Amino acid sequence: MDIINILPDSIANQIAAGEVVDRPAGAVKELLENSLDAGASQIDLVVKDAGRTLIQVVDNGCGMSDSDARLCFERHATSKIHRTDDLFAIHTMGFRGEALASIAAIAQVELRTRQPEGELGTEVVIEGSRIVSQHPSACKAGTSISVKNLFFNVPARRNFLKKDSIEFGHIEEVFRRVALIHPDVAFSLTSGGKVVYSLPAGSMLGRIAGLFGAGYKEKLFAVREQTDLATVSGFVSRPEFMRRTRGEQYLFVNGRFIKHAGLSTAVERAYEQLLPERCHPCFFIGLQVDPSRIDINIHPTKTEVKFVDENALFLILRSAVKRALGQFALATELSFDTPQEFNIGPAPRDATFDMPQVSYNPHYNPFHATGSRAAQTAAPSTPTAAMREEEQSMLTVEQTAETTAGHGNGACVQVQGRYIVAPISSGLALIDQQRAHERVIYDRLMNQAVSAGSQTLLFPMQCSFSAADAELLAELLPDLRQCGFEMTAIGQSVFVVTAVPAGTDGEGVNAMLERLLADYKGSTMQKYARRSESLCLSLARQMAVRPGTELRQEQMQQLVADLFSCPMAGVSPSGKRIMTIVKPEEMLK
Ligand code: ADP
Ligand code: MG
């Protein structure tokens, strides 16, 4: 006796709906995404009872023809892909052709749609996958879909819904995720007759402010980076607005919200030297990558994405945020009140343009390191008032100090064998000599453009390691060479070291290399970071002057000058604060 039968569409759709529309927010996401795919510039979402009784999405997009309006509720009905190849070049939010079929299987749906060029539109009413009626309708251009009484025929689902406040919270979050990354589209959300959000089209910063409050404009600064692999753009929070808990952290890829632990870590890592432990930045970052390099085909409702170039993207993202942090520290003033500046619209036809003014110092000569430094900062910078005093000195030391560091009269004093007191234009800097030195060495080692400098040993040293360490060492040889080591393997686990980084003596080279390997193995960054980074950090730590080392006047002045030429002069590579600045006002007191 045969016992297998093919399920009718209505049941198949209901089963599919379990995956696509697990709660009202799921339907909201699909409808909003359809409107975006339809090229709408205005999308209005209306819900009642947290979406239980009504979810309506009205857009001014391309609309549908009469027959499409009926067909769109069929399973696997989509206008977005045609061939297998299309799956690897997805430029739309949807492509499965499942959403409307699923929604129509578990709700009462009314669709009104008209193509802009058509005179008359269509109205389709469908209930539990059954078309109830279809007739011409004089509706607005675009599409309006009302989803009523969600789960009316699936009581089990209905019973699983949470309190209205929770379900509405999910809807809000879906709305935010979609609206954030499409600031060029106007959105509104109305719940129970009350307008919750009304967001005009504009810049991303304006959108963030519209969703999270105008206060955010002061908390953020822009990140922008373009590489062959990816374009990064968005906003991250200033270090002083860190949070104890992970707050607003939004990552998007090709206009789609994603969750990706690796990439989120990349952003957090960029702050590594600026945030205390267990503090988190906010970020709103969009990536644009070649669609063929990602796999979004994992699950309709899931936000996980797989990248082919995960490691490279990690580095790109981290360095983009790092660079922005560096620039932000240097920026004289960021105007956050004019979001338009981040979103330059099409120019009026008869507009005239001013050439951008770039100010630079024509006398600047990078090879006269000390003499030109004062001239270099023609316009002393005034960081924005909102920054807290403390962070200010931490982030902006380099500019304040640049005007004095390296001056002949800047005699320094060493205190307690571990601090250097140096006069700078904004007051007195109290500098931790070890941390400062760590920073200087680290930056020199990391600066791959110049060789770190190496010192040939009079007597080559033989160093031996355990078999595992020797293997790792052999692997790290190119990076070590970059740092100034010269060595060759002789035999299984014995190396001959002929040169060491300038500034070290050959004496403890074996121990140094062992610590280096131990640090490297203990580094949490191995998965993503360039290995040289953890090597440089370990080396810098080992090579920096210890407390108790007496420094001569020239040495101190050199160290202070070197420190102030580092982009992140305020913090050591291991994230510790290097200096405190005593301002003239404070001295007066
Ligand atoms: P998918 O979005 O994966 O293609 P859907 O079930 O969400 O599948 O939608 C089916 C089709 O209906 C879409 O491919 C599109 O052609 C059409 N459609 C859905 N929503 C709209 C809309 N708001 N405006 C215009 N066309 C739409
Ligand atoms: Mg869709």
Side-chain angles (χ1 to χ4, degrees):
M1 188 177 67
D2 300 333
I3 52 170
I4 295 178
N5 59 25
I6 304 283
L7 292 178
D9 273 355
S10 57
I11 299 185
N13 286 341
Q14 252 188 37
I15 294 170
E19 290 195 40
V20 184
V21 186
D22 52 344
R23 56 176 9 135
V28 170
K29 173 174 179 278
E30 294 297 335
L31 296 179
L32 291 178
E33 290 187 347
N34 278 348
S35 295
L36 284 172
D37 286 341
S41 63
Q42 169 86 44
I43 300 174
D44 299 304
L45 167 64
V46 178
V47 298
K48 271 193 198 136
D49 304 317
R52 267 172 235 267
T53 46
L54 175 71
I55 299 169
Q56 184 181 20
V57 172
V58 184
D59 68 50
N60 61 355
C62 63
M64 284 179 259
S65 70
D66 292 358
S67 44
D68 279 356
R70 201 180 177 105
L71 202 57
C72 71
F73 292 109
E74 294 291 323
R75 199 123 185 254
H76 310 304
T78 181
S79 55
K80 295 165 196 175
I81 54 173
H82 300 276
R83 289 176 299 270
T84 314
D85 289 353
D86 295 344
L87 270 178
F88 305 100
I90 301 273
H91 290 278
T92 51
M93 307 288 287
F95 59 88
R96 295 164 183 277
E98 267 182 351
L100 290 184
S102 300
I103 293 172
I106 48 159
Q108 297 153 344
V109 179
E110 283 172 32
L111 163 70
R112 256 174 236 105
T113 186
R114 175 164 77 81
Q115 295 175 312
E117 63 277 10
E119 290 198 345
L120 213 56
T122 306
E123 184 182 314
V124 178
V125 179
I126 179 166
E127 212 178 286
S129 296
R130 205 170 43 82
I131 301 246
V132 176
S133 69
Q134 172 166 23
H135 47 76
S137 152
C139 52
K140 279 200 306 182
T143 303
S144 157
I145 299 189
S146 302
V147 178
K148 292 180 182 166
N149 304 321
L150 198 66
F151 304 128
F152 80 103
N153 52 354
V154 204
R157 280 267 144 181
R158 215 167 47 222
N159 295 338
F160 271 113
L161 290 181
K162 299 265 164 45
K163 279 195 306 212
D164 273 11
S165 57
I166 292 179
E167 292 301 338
F168 184 69
H170 285 290
I171 291 179
E172 235 186 322
E173 182 58 20
V174 162
F175 178 81
R176 279 192 221 111
R177 289 174 181 178
V178 172
L180 267 173
I181 196 63
H182 296 100
D184 48 332
V185 177
F187 283 90
S188 77
L189 166 57
T190 308
S191 170
K194 242 180 58 203
V195 178
V196 185
Y197 296 106
S198 171
L199 309 166
S203 67
M204 186 170 186
L205 192 61
R207 183 53 53 91
I208 295 169
L211 283 167
F212 296 101
Y216 268 74
K217 286 189 181 176
E218 269 119 59
K219 294 185 185 171
L220 306 173
F221 60 92
V223 176
R224 204 160 283 263
E225 189 79 68
Q226 190 151 16
T227 68
D228 291 343
L229 214 56
T231 306
V232 181
S233 72
F235 291 86
V236 296
S237 61
R238 301 194 198 182
E240 68 267 33
F241 291 110
M242 76 244 171
R243 297 186 154 218
R244 285 272 164 217
T245 53
R246 281 200 177 75
E248 286 76 40
Q249 298 199 333
Y250 290 88
L251 265 182
F252 304 91
V253 170
N254 297 353
R256 194 186 291 272
F257 174 85
I258 60 155
K259 281 193 184 132
H260 195 284
L263 293 185
S264 300
T265 311
V267 181
E268 298 224 355
R269 284 285 154 78
Y271 284 82
E272 201 160 46
Q273 307 175 338
L274 296 169
L275 292 187
E277 245 177 82
R278 280 191 280 285
C279 278
H280 305 283
C282 304
F283 53 83
F284 307 88
I285 293 182
L287 296 170
Q288 285 292 336
V289 302
D290 180 346
S292 67
R293 310 293 287 175
I294 55 181
D295 180 7
I296 45 170
N297 196 10
I298 303 175
H299 190 278
T301 56
K302 292 277 161 57
T303 42
E304 279 88 18
V305 173
K306 281 199 223 149
F307 294 96
V308 180
D309 317 286
E310 184 177 309
N311 285 8
L313 285 174
F314 180 95
L315 293 178
I316 291 171
L317 190 55
R318 191 181 55 155
S319 75
V321 177
K322 252 191 179 169
R323 206 165 63 91
L325 274 162
Q327 279 173 356
F328 166 68
L330 285 168
T332 48
E333 201 185 322
L334 280 178
S335 163
F336 285 96
D337 290 326
T338 48
Q340 291 84 343
E341 88 182 279
F342 294 103
N343 183 23
I344 302 167
R349 212 181 292 159
D350 47 359
T352 57
F353 297 96
D354 295 328
M355 278 301 281
Q357 298 296 311
V358 181
S359 63
Y360 64 99
N361 172 7
H363 306 298
Y364 175 62
N365 178 346
F367 300 106
H368 293 163
T370 47
S372 56
R373 205 164 254 143
Q376 200 180 327
T377 41
S381 37
T382 47
T384 36
M387 285 179 84
R388 268 198 269 110
E389 289 272 315
E390 199 175 290
E391 304 295 339
Q392 222 174 67
S393 57
M394 186 158 154
L395 281 169
T396 56
V397 272
E398 61 267 65
Q399 323 126 26
T400 46
E402 249 184 326
T403 54
T404 53
H407 274 217
N409 57 3
C412 302
V413 182
Q414 192 180 24
V415 184
Q416 290 187 340
R418 64 186 298 179
Y419 303 109
I420 298 171
V421 180
I424 59 172
S425 66
S426 63
L428 265 188
L430 180 61
I431 300 169
D432 183 306
Q433 69 187 37
Q434 183 181 11
R435 293 178 186 174
H437 201 201
E438 234 177 82
R439 164 54 74 194
V440 170
I441 296 171
Y442 178 80
D443 279 24
R444 199 178 64 215
L445 291 174
M446 281 299 288
N447 191 350
Q448 314 236 337
V450 286
S451 147
S454 150
Q455 163 180 328
T456 310
L457 293 175
L458 212 50
F459 304 105
M461 300 278 296
Q462 247 189 43
C463 305
S464 46
F465 301 90
S466 70
D469 276 4
E471 202 173 305
L472 182 58
L473 198 64
E475 210 180 289
L476 295 177
L477 271 185
D479 299 288
L480 288 168
R481 203 159 286 141
Q482 195 103 43
C483 296
F485 284 101
E486 263 329 316
M487 58 177 123
T488 33
I490 54 161
Q492 278 279 290
S493 52
V494 182
F495 288 75
V496 172
V497 182
T498 50
V500 291
T504 27
D505 48 22
E507 285 291 293
V509 65
N510 204 347
M512 184 176 217
L513 285 169
E514 264 166 19
R515 266 196 300 272
L516 209 68
L517 291 175
D519 284 350
Y520 179 69
K521 283 186 287 191
S523 159
T524 51
M525 311 258 309
Q526 271 193 51
K527 186 168 171 214
Y528 297 109
R530 276 195 316 233
R531 47 169 76 130
S532 58
E533 206 160 304
S534 61
L535 293 183
C536 291
L537 181 58
S538 171
L539 264 181
R541 278 203 203 127
Q542 296 189 49
M543 288 165 65
V545 285
R546 309 274 143 191
T549 314
E550 214 171 288
L551 297 177
R552 290 191 309 279
Q553 187 58 235
E554 321 84 82
Q555 287 178 314
M556 286 190 279
Q557 291 195 7
Q558 187 61 52
L559 179 57
V560 173
D562 287 348
L563 174 65
F564 285 132
S565 64
C566 297
M568 280 202 181
V571 268
S572 78
S574 22
K576 302 220 176 78
R577 185 187 187 112
I578 291 178
M579 73 182 88
T580 297
I581 293 177
V582 185
K583 303 236 171 65
E585 313 86 84
E586 291 162 328
M587 287 191 242
L588 257 179
K589 277 186 228 159

